[in-house]
Amino acid sequence: MQTIQFIISILLIFILVMLVINTIRKFDSVLRADVKRLRSENEALRKELLKRGIVEYV
């Protein structure tokens, strides 16, 4: 009986770890997409400011 409880507890821990890993991967991909979008917006804004002569090229 103790062996079965031990195996079940190990499986539950494994499932919990997998859920945490999947959640982290999901949020990581969302953050990567946000960073990519912000970089492109930043580049577009910088080009617009350069065109208007508000900021010099850095």
Side-chain angles (χ1 to χ4, degrees), residues 15-39:
I15 291 170
L16 182 64
V17 167
M18 291 304 293
L19 287 173
V20 169
I21 288 173
N22 286 338
T23 303
I24 289 172
R25 283 184 182 164
K26 184 179 91 173
F27 282 116
D28 185 51
S29 65
V30 169
L31 288 175
R32 285 179 190 260
D34 283 346
V35 166
K36 188 174 182 180
R37 180 182 54 81
L38 287 173
R39 282 186 180 154

Side-chain angles (χ1 to χ4, degrees), residues 40-54:
S40 64
E41 288 177 5
N42 184 34
E43 184 67 22
L45 179 60
R46 190 181 64 77
K47 285 181 180 179
E48 184 64 29
L49 291 175
L50 275 171
K51 195 183 335 180
R52 294 183 186 192
I54 296 173

